Amino acid sequence: MTALTLSTAGAATLRADALVVGVAKGAGSKSGPVLAPGSEAVDKAFGGKLADVLATLGATGAEGELTKLPAASGLKAPLVVAVGLGPVPDKEDAYDAEALRRAAGTAARALTGSKKAGFALPAGSVEDAAAVAEGALLGSYAFTAYQGGENKLAPKDAKSKDSGPKQPLAEVTLLGAKPRDKGYKAAVDRALALVEEINRARDLINTPPNDLYPESFAAVATAAGKEHGIKVQVLDEKALVKGGFGGILGVGQGSANGPRLVKLAYTHPKAEKTLALVGKGITYDSGGISLKPAGHNETMKCDMSGAAAVFAAVVTAARLGLKVNVTGWLALAENMPSGNATRPGDVLRMYSGKTVEVLNTDAEGRLVLGDALTRASEEKPDAIVDVATLTGAMVLALGNRTFGIMANDDAFRTSIHEIAEEVGEASWPMPLPADLRKGMDSPTADIANMGERMGGGLVAGLFLKEFVGEGIAWAHLDIAGPAFHEGAPYGYTPKGGTGSAVRTLVRLAERTADGDLG
């Protein structure tokens, strides 16, 4: 991963491939690009005319805008990269943290292939420095594990390896921060640990399903547990049968790759609260017998994004040493059609003892989550949050960049929404209308796994609610929209897996550690 350093060097004297400065968008009589704090030394090298030069090149300071220009003679770096921050804030230095994240990410992506870049974006506060660090590290991400391999058809005297893709920016140097200040150092260390785990989640999401299946995902979790002092328990098929986990088994029985339920337990000796996180981990979703139509299968390796987010959040909590117990439950299965697969019309007996009539085998995420939610509830945590790429209905409702939040407690739902907005993850609180529950009534079983088509995302939430223990605060995050980005990269968001919800879960764990569960 990209290295991150804090430097006391000035922008003018830093030896790097590029210097990154921020430019805001002025209004009224001050329309046009306005230099942001941090750019003073670079502007001085341009004789105080940097804003004019940028305006001549067409720069406006709009968010996401990027302008490259040769450095002036007084700078050691050969290139200046000006990145748009959006409108000038009402108060000087009061730049929105998410604007700084996105700007840093945009610049980092533009510097792919470079060895070192100095980021002279606003960093006058610990919060600003952390946002720039997060954005630059997130934006530097690239998934290249399957590119640039050996070319066996090449002539013997040719290079044994293809050149492959350009590598991400190798080093980010944060300028304007205070390397000797404990607050700055702690914030940057947190950003590094957080982003390393987000990027690990991205790697898992992007890994092809022939290499990432329940058993191999469980192995990754086990290895991480040993590295970071997390207790890991893996229930294989025999253990799942013995335990009566009918939901997970029913979804996974059509695949040659058997299902798993993985428990990761991070504990702190001074913790007073316990947070349980449950992740949907369908490593590939064909829809089962209710096969997905053509054009909907190609990205279904991402259907384990919820489990990846939970895994990353637990490891991050351990790395940060948070004073809270965090337990992660990864409900892992591969949903495939075969002679052994669950059929529409089958009835499964869940771990809770409740029976479910399966009307659609492509509504499988709620089945594995139901078992995991019941198992998590048995340990009586103070709160449970599940994360899942659960419904296309949520994408229709909220689009590709916003996840929905449902809960059995309004205050808890509000708290998670506030946390998500605070860390820069777009989200929206959604209701759980009681009248939609009737649509899941079954003449054969206790409940069906399908209900009314309209409001399908809410119906799924109501189904999950049935498996949460009495008196436990619970929230459901449907990340079907933002978990996997199919368009062109933007800001710090790459093409492919995004690591959606990790930042929200980690901040929730931090708040819980501080005694503010919500």
Side-chain angles (χ1 to χ4, degrees), residues 175-187:
L175 303 173
K178 302 173 183 177
R180 296 183 181 88
D181 184 287
K182 290 183 179 179
Y184 277 89
K185 187 177 186 306

Side-chain angles (χ1 to χ4, degrees), residues 47 109 130 180 190 214 225 245 262 280 358 458 477:
R109 284 192 298 103
R180 296 183 181 88
R190 176 192 181 276
F245 291 88
V262 179
K280 173 187 173 183
V358 178
L458 312 183
L477 312 185

Side-chain angles (χ1 to χ4, degrees), residues 420-434:
E421 295 299 308
E422 176 191 343
V423 300
E425 294 198 297
S427 66
W428 197 250
M430 303 292 282
L432 288 173

Side-chain angles (χ1 to χ4, degrees), residues 266-309:
Y266 160 69
T267 57
H268 192 284
K270 295 183 179 179
E272 296 181 356
K273 298 286 186 180
T274 297
L275 183 64
L277 308 177
V278 178
K280 173 187 173 183
I282 305 300
T283 56
Y284 182 75
D285 183 19
S286 69
I289 297 297
S290 305
L291 193 67
K292 291 180 182 292
H296 289 75
N297 286 282
E298 291 76 10
T299 61
M300 282 300 101
K301 64 182 181 181
C302 80
D303 212 20
M304 37 59 66
S305 296

Side-chain angles (χ1 to χ4, degrees), residues 168-516:
L169 172 63
E171 181 180 349
V172 169
T173 300
L174 200 59
L175 303 173
K178 302 173 183 177
R180 296 183 181 88
D181 184 287
K182 290 183 179 179
Y184 277 89
K185 187 177 186 306
V188 171
D189 287 346
R190 176 192 181 276
L192 186 61
L194 173 65
V195 175
E196 282 183 348
E197 296 311 322
I198 291 174
N199 285 346
R200 174 151 47 179
R202 289 171 166 181
D203 283 347
L204 287 168
I205 297 164
N206 290 327
T207 298
N210 57 319
D211 282 343
L212 188 75
Y213 40 90
E215 184 179 3
S216 62
F217 195 155
V220 171
T222 299
K226 290 179 180 178
E227 181 181 358
H228 298 291
I230 300 167
K231 186 177 180 181
V232 180
Q233 179 186 15
V234 179
L235 299 185
D236 61 12
E237 292 151 285
K238 290 183 179 179
L240 291 170
V241 170
K242 183 177 180 180
F245 291 88
I248 297 174
L249 288 165
V251 173
Q253 70 187 43
S255 174
N257 295 310
R260 298 287 188 273
L261 177 61
V262 179
K263 175 187 176 183
L264 302 100
Y266 160 69
T267 57
H268 192 284
K270 295 183 179 179
E272 296 181 356
K273 298 286 186 180
T274 297
L275 183 64
L277 308 177
V278 178
K280 173 187 173 183
I282 305 300
T283 56
Y284 182 75
D285 183 19
S286 69
I289 297 297
S290 305
L291 193 67
K292 291 180 182 292
H296 289 75
N297 286 282
E298 291 76 10
T299 61
M300 282 300 101
K301 64 182 181 181
C302 80
D303 212 20
M304 37 59 66
S305 296
V310 166
F311 168 60
V314 175
V315 175
T316 303
R319 291 183 61 175
L320 298 179
L322 301 182
K323 294 180 181 180
V324 58
N325 297 328
V326 184
T327 303
W329 300 88
L330 314 182
L332 308 177
E334 190 174 69
N335 188 23
M336 296 290 285
S338 75
N340 293 324
T342 293
R343 297 152 291 224
D346 282 356
V347 173
L348 304 177
R349 185 171 296 277
M350 305 288 282
Y351 179 70
S352 67
K354 194 183 296 288
T355 55
V356 177
E357 183 181 11
V358 178
L359 299 181
N360 187 326
T361 63
D362 196 24
E364 84 299 328
R366 64 199 71 182
L367 298 174
V368 301
L369 287 174
D371 274 354
L373 285 168
T374 302
R375 179 64 187 89
S377 296
E378 285 184 335
E379 299 193 351
K380 305 295 182 183
D382 294 286
I384 299 175
V385 179
D386 77 71
V387 189
T389 47
L390 205 60
T391 66
M394 196 56 58
V395 185
L396 291 174
L398 299 178
N400 290 315
R401 298 189 182 185
T402 304
F403 63 74
I405 307 171
M406 284 153 267
N408 61 2
D409 180 277
D410 289 347
F412 191 43
R413 181 186 61 192
T414 298
S415 179
I416 291 180
H417 179 225
E418 290 173 349
I419 288 170
E421 295 299 308
E422 176 191 343
V423 300
E425 294 198 297
S427 66
W428 197 250
M430 303 292 282
L432 288 173
D435 61 284
L436 291 177
R437 170 60 181 85
K438 185 172 178 57
M440 290 185 283
D441 285 349
S442 166
T444 307
D446 295 323
I447 190 172
N449 77 328
M450 293 291 289
E452 294 183 28
R453 181 169 177 267
M454 299 303 173
L458 312 183
V459 171
L462 285 166
F463 181 93
L464 296 179
K465 184 182 177 183
E466 299 267 332
F467 298 90
V468 178
E470 191 71 26
I472 301 174
W474 158 78
H476 160 56
L477 312 185
D478 190 335
I479 62 170
F484 195 84
H485 179 57
E486 296 186 62
Y490 65 93
Y492 54 78
T493 301
K495 188 179 181 69
T498 65
S500 177
V502 176
R503 283 181 285 158
T504 297
L505 296 178
V506 171
R507 183 56 57 85
L508 175 63
E510 289 173 328
R511 280 200 181 186
T512 306
D514 293 336
D516 183 18

